[in-house]
């Protein structure tokens, strides 16, 4: 359980070793996404945590709204910015994330 972020606070990230399957159980949020080749690395890959962060703004990129009736499957070549509020209002959500090793 967490509160969603504003568009300005959203940050692209990616994982090398896992596919993320993200399913909202309560509330709604946006996940912005793009190819990792389209964004610039901000914080280098951390192998222990399997995560890398990118410096580009998420504004203007494609997004999916999770609302409990759908899910998003995110592959290692996709940068994604999860936990973004739908209406720019921070609201609590509950999410299940399944990680599938590749």
């Amino acid at each position: 359980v967490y509160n969603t972020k504003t568009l300005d606070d959203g940050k692209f990230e990616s994982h090398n070793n896992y596919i993320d399957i993200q399913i909202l159980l309560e509330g709604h949020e946006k996940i912005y996404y793009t190819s990792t080749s389209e964004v610039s690395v901000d914080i280098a890959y951390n192998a222990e945590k399997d995560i890398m962060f990118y410096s580009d703004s998420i504004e203007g990129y494609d997004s999916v709204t999770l609302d409990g009736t759908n899910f998003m499957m995110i592959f290692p070549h996709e940068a994604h910015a999860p936990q973004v509020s739908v209406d720019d209002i921070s609201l609590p959500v509950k999410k299940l994330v399944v990680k599938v090793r590749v």
Side-chain angles (χ1 to χ4, degrees):
V1 177
Y2 57 86
N3 286 340
T4 55
K5 305 172 187 175
T6 64
L7 186 66
D8 290 340
D9 289 333
K11 193 166 186 77
F12 281 123
E13 63 184 59
S14 68
H15 313 287
N16 288 354
N17 298 322
Y18 292 90
I19 296 169
D20 273 4
I21 301 171
Q22 300 196 13
I23 305 164
L24 234 54
L25 303 175
E26 294 176 13
H28 57 276
E29 73 175 47
K30 284 188 175 187
I31 299 179
Y32 287 79
Y33 64 94
T34 190
S35 170
T36 55
S37 65
E38 299 294 317
V39 287
S40 302
V41 174
D42 182 34
I43 300 175
Y45 180 69
N46 179 324
E48 184 178 314
K49 295 182 179 182
D50 187 41
I51 197 162
M52 182 180 327
F53 290 98
Y54 299 86
S55 59
D56 307 69
S57 168
I58 66 172
E59 192 169 1
Y61 285 93
D62 290 332
S63 67
V64 170
T65 299
L66 296 182
D67 62 8
T69 66
N70 56 355
F71 67 93
M72 187 166 186
M73 201 164 166
I74 305 158
F75 292 85
H77 67 275
E78 296 173 313
H80 58 289
Q83 304 179 356
V84 179
S85 70
V86 173
D87 301 316
D88 211 29
I89 299 169
S90 181
L91 295 171
V93 299
K94 186 176 186 180
K95 185 195 298 184
L96 171 68
V97 178
V98 177
K99 294 201 169 270
V100 179
R101 188 154 178 82
V102 294

